[in-house]
Structure formats: structure tokens, C-alpha cells
Amino acid sequence: MGVIDIGSEKRKLFWAAVLVMITKKLSNAGFGVNGNEDLEVLEERSDNHLAYSKVNRGVCELGEMEDDAWTTVQRKGNQFVVNDQPFYVNGFNTYWLMVFAADPSTRGKVSEVFQQASSVGLTVCRTWAFNDGQWRALQISPSVYDEEVFKALDFVVSEAKKYKIRLILSLTNNWEAYGGKAQYVKWGKAACLNLTSDDDFFSHPTLRIYYKAHVKACSFCFSIHFQLFNCLINKGNGQILTVLNRVNTLTNMTYKDDPTIFAWELMNEPRCVSDPSGDKLQAWIEEMAVYVKSIDPKHLLEIGLEGFYGPSTLNRVQFNPNTYAQHVGTDFIRNHQVLGVDFASVHIYADSWISQSISDAHIPFIKSWMQAHIDDADNFLGMPVVFAEFGVSTKDPGYNSSFRDTLISTVYMTLLDSTKKGGSGSGSLLWQLFPEGADNMDDGYAVILSKSPSTSNIVSLQSTRLTTFNSLCSWKCHWGCKKKHPLETFLYHDDL
């Protein structure tokens, strides 16, 4: 038996006491910790646990950012960082925020969903920064905007900051909902362009100009294609309005300078089924990624892909949910190697891709699907990967809330396995979080925390864990010591 270092043992006992005090603070702040998960040290159970906890208010001792330190999220290798400290993401989707904010009778729901998300420690929200040519359209026609709807988006951004939630803003849609590429093609046909498919959105030069103009007005493009634009002005006051250069009317901050924005997303779930080779979509991604970055080099950029493997990696297509996924024009690794893309996105819908009926096959698929993409991000891409949509529909045959909790826990624990190793698994965004009273927007995937205490507890626990991981660097940097800190020993369950 070796010689015992009394000083070392005292230090370990000291940090054990510190951890107990921190855990009590988290519990007093309302953190929900339950289940038989691996991180026992964080599982000081609280009999008085509240589903809605002031997570963001209760962890300032663990390195929460003060208002004056609300800075832009950056990428450092395969991890996100804020002020050079790690930033692992527990987040959510609520795509309709801008539309609700545009109507005074529903605007309060925007604040509600942010408040409830903040209460369980969610830190990132993904939502639409587009509504093309449809009801309550932001973009009425190419580069013609409704100022009132733009003010609604301003409100979404300002409310997100109030609740310390960052935004991933998607710039258009692959699907017809809220306009998307089909609407761009309709505009092109109205301008007498020869278009035969919605996939012409990716290849026709004029439609590419329309998209770029939505991102930022291009005077050169405007001069050559004047006849194809209705006018690059805002309806009503004559101001040129585009998303990245928009000055928020509530904060007086330009979007491209606002740290509240976590990242821009080129498109929600792009597919180009007319070109299974993937070349057409690849060329579009290459052009638009560089273009967006040329306007806004400060913020992160992602594509919005579902994660399907394509022709460039035939050895990986075995991980796809079905054979069709290989032929939709996307190519996970190739697409994410594009200059300007900062992190990878993956979606998870076993109930759409495997079988609509709840099945025992769903959970193993989710594990293998996630692990394959984490491995690729670690070994080939060298960038973070975010599972930007995941969930299960209450409309599925055989659905029950216990299965949903199992699915969510599976996603969270798979990510934690990567997080504990400092790997690329950097976060997930639940599809989708709702306040009460928004049932008309429910696609079956809505999670209403006040009606789902078990789910709320699981989400809160994940936030607790990630907040702790995010804070470790804060402690390490404070002491400037390269040795493993004793507190980490307890968090990671190393033997003493």
C-alpha cells in the first residue's frame, strides 16, 4: 500500500464538500434530478423538486454569463465556446414564434415559451426567420417585406435575449410550409423564367439571387436583374430590409452583430431528389455558405441537413434509416466539408423513417444513428454536431408518454457519452416546445412542460448536467492549473 498524501486527501475532502454545497444550491434552485442515470454525484434528490425551475437564475455560481458578458458563441475545434468556455447545448424548436409575435392577441405566447424553456435550463431555440409569400408573410415577394412582420421577428430576438436564450434562425424551407423553395419557384415563373421543378431553386441563377437578396441586398445583382425584382424596398417606408443587415427596432442592434443569434441556418431540411448524385445541392451549399459568411463572419453557420449519407460515403449508408435516404441529394460528410460551415446538423425521426407505429426498433436506431454522426464529426469533420430536431408524435399508433421519455433520455445520454470525452456531440434541440393554448399549431410533437412533469424533469436534468460541464473550464481557468481538478474527479466518477 502506497504512502498517503495527507494534503492531497484534505484537498479531495474539501472539493467534495464544495460539490455537495453546489448540488444543494442546484436543488434549492429547483433542479429536477431523478432516475438511475450515470452521474450519481449530481443526483442529490429533492423531494420538493419543481418541474419549472429557475435554472438560469440558480447556477450563476457555476459560471453563468452576466449581462455584460453576453457574447457571441464561437467554435473552437469540435466544441462550441462562449468567452473561451465550453457551451454544450440543451435546446428546443418552436418554429412559429415570428407568426405569433405578429398578432397582438398571440404575442404573449412567445414570452411564455421562452419563460418556460428558461425555467428548465434550455439555452438555444431554433425558429424560422422566413415566411415566404403566404399568410402573414415576412417576404411578400422577392426582397419586398412586411415591416410589421419584421418587427415581430425583432420581438422574438429581443425576448430571447431577455430569457438568456440564443437563436438558430433558419432562412428558408425545403418544404412548402411557410413558402420555401416552392414559393421561390412560383416567383420565378411569375417573372417568366423557364422552371420545371421546385429543385430549380438550387440551380437557377435568378432564384439564387432571390435567396441572396433575402440574406442581404446585392446592388450588383439588383442592377442586372432589376426587371425580375418588384423593388428592393420595404413596403411602407422605403428602407432596404434584409435579414442579416436588419436593425432590430427594439434593441437597435443589427442582427449580424447580436450575440443572441447562435447561428444562421441555410435551409430547413434541404433535399434535391432530382439529382441523387448530390452535385446540385452541394454547389448551392458551397455558394451560399461563403456568401452568408462574407456578410456575417461573426456568427456560426449550419446547413440544416437531416444527416442522410450519400454517394460519397457508401460505406456509411448502412446507417441510413432506409434505402430512399441515400437518394435525396444530400451527402452528410461531403456537405459539411464545405468552406464556411461551422457545425453539423442531424435530425432524428424514427417514427417517420422506420415505422410510424411505435416499435422496439426505434431506440436502437436512434443510438446507432447518433453515434455514427458523432464518430464522423470526431474523425472526419472535426466540428461540433447538433441533433437539431428530435421527437415522437403523440399521433403515432402505440404512442405513450413513457416511450417519449425513453426516447428523449436516449438522445440525452448518447450525447453525454460524447460530452464526457470532450467529443463532438455538442447538443440537441427537442421538436418542439409549446406553451399552453397553442394547440392549433400542434403537429403531434408538441411538448407542453406544465402537462408533462416527467418529461420536464428529464429536460431539466440534462440542463443541470450540461451547465455543470460548461462550468468546469471556468474553474480550471480560474486556478490556471493543467492538472485534473479534484472536482472533476467527482463529476466524472474516476476512482479516488
Side-chain angles (χ1 to χ4, degrees), residues 405-423:
D405 288 348
T406 298
L407 185 149
I408 294 172
S409 296
T410 298
V411 172
Y412 285 169
M413 294 309 297
T414 304
L415 275 170
L416 283 172
D417 287 342
S418 175
T419 300
K420 289 186 289 187
K421 303 169 188 173

Side-chain angles (χ1 to χ4, degrees), residues 31 109 115 135 160 182 219 257 269 271 277 286 314 332:
F31 278 104
K109 296 298 178 186
Q115 184 275 324
W135 178 68
S219 58
D257 295 323
E269 300 186 335
R271 294 185 185 184
S277 75
E286 289 173 354
L314 293 177
F332 176 73

Side-chain angles (χ1 to χ4, degrees), residues 47-59:
D47 293 334
N48 297 319
H49 166 66
L50 299 176
Y52 288 149
S53 57
K54 285 290 183 182
V55 172
N56 281 352
R57 300 294 174 263
V59 295

Side-chain angles (χ1 to χ4, degrees), residues 196-445:
T196 59
S197 164
D198 286 350
D199 285 348
D200 289 338
F201 169 85
F202 297 112
S203 57
H204 197 285
T206 299
L207 300 190
R208 291 189 182 202
I209 289 169
Y210 285 176
Y211 178 86
K212 286 183 177 180
H214 177 56
V215 174
K216 176 183 181 289
C218 170
S219 58
F220 172 73
C221 299
F222 175 59
S223 65
I224 5 184
H225 292 274
F226 177 83
Q227 71 277 17
L228 298 177
F229 285 104
N230 290 320
C231 195
L232 287 176
I233 60 173
N234 168 53
K235 182 183 75 173
N237 62 12
Q239 295 177 340
I240 293 177
L241 294 175
T242 53
V243 177
L244 272 66
N245 282 319
R246 168 76 175 180
V247 177
N248 192 312
T249 56
L250 296 173
T251 65
N252 202 36
M253 182 174 287
T254 305
Y255 282 23
K256 68 180 182 180
D257 295 323
D258 191 343
T260 307
I261 295 171
F262 177 90
W264 300 108
E265 178 178 278
L266 293 180
M267 187 179 208
N268 174 52
E269 300 186 335
R271 294 185 185 184
C272 187
V273 295
S274 63
D275 179 23
S277 75
D279 292 343
K280 185 183 292 187
L281 180 58
Q282 179 76 5
W284 184 86
I285 293 169
E286 289 173 354
E287 180 177 347
M288 299 310 169
V290 170
Y291 183 75
V292 171
K293 278 293 192 178
S294 72
I295 299 164
D296 181 4
K298 294 181 181 179
H299 286 103
L300 300 173
L301 177 70
E302 52 110 350
I303 302 167
L305 292 169
E306 297 158 279
F308 302 133
Y309 293 100
S312 74
T313 51
L314 293 177
N315 62 322
R316 306 296 281 170
V317 298
Q318 60 181 308
F319 295 107
N320 283 342
N322 49 55
T323 55
Y324 175 72
Q326 181 183 340
H327 304 288
V328 297
T330 67
D331 203 329
F332 176 73
I333 293 179
R334 181 189 182 197
N335 294 157
H336 282 109
Q337 291 174 326
V338 168
L339 180 66
V341 174
D342 294 298
F343 65 96
S345 64
V346 181
H347 295 181
I348 311 172
Y349 288 112
D351 60 348
S352 293
W353 302 340
I354 304 295
S355 66
Q356 186 177 1
S357 297
I358 299 304
S359 165
D360 291 341
H362 287 190
I363 299 303
F365 164 74
I366 289 170
K367 290 180 180 178
S368 64
W369 179 248
M370 291 183 67
Q371 193 59 54
H373 290 83
I374 291 171
D375 291 344
D376 291 336
D378 282 334
N379 301 325
F380 298 107
L381 299 175
M383 60 171 55
V385 58
V386 173
F387 297 88
E389 290 187 23
F390 73 97
V392 61
S393 174
T394 59
K395 300 177 182 179
D396 293 339
Y399 169 85
N400 59 72
S401 60
S402 176
F403 180 81
R404 182 172 72 181
D405 288 348
T406 298
L407 185 149
I408 294 172
S409 296
T410 298
V411 172
Y412 285 169
M413 294 309 297
T414 304
L415 275 170
L416 283 172
D417 287 342
S418 175
T419 300
K420 289 186 289 187
K421 303 169 188 173
S424 297
S426 296
S428 61
L429 308 174
L430 182 66
W431 184 278
Q432 56 178 319
L433 194 64
F434 269 41
E436 292 189 52
D439 304 58
N440 62 310
M441 302 298 289
D442 185 5
D443 57 356
Y445 291 82

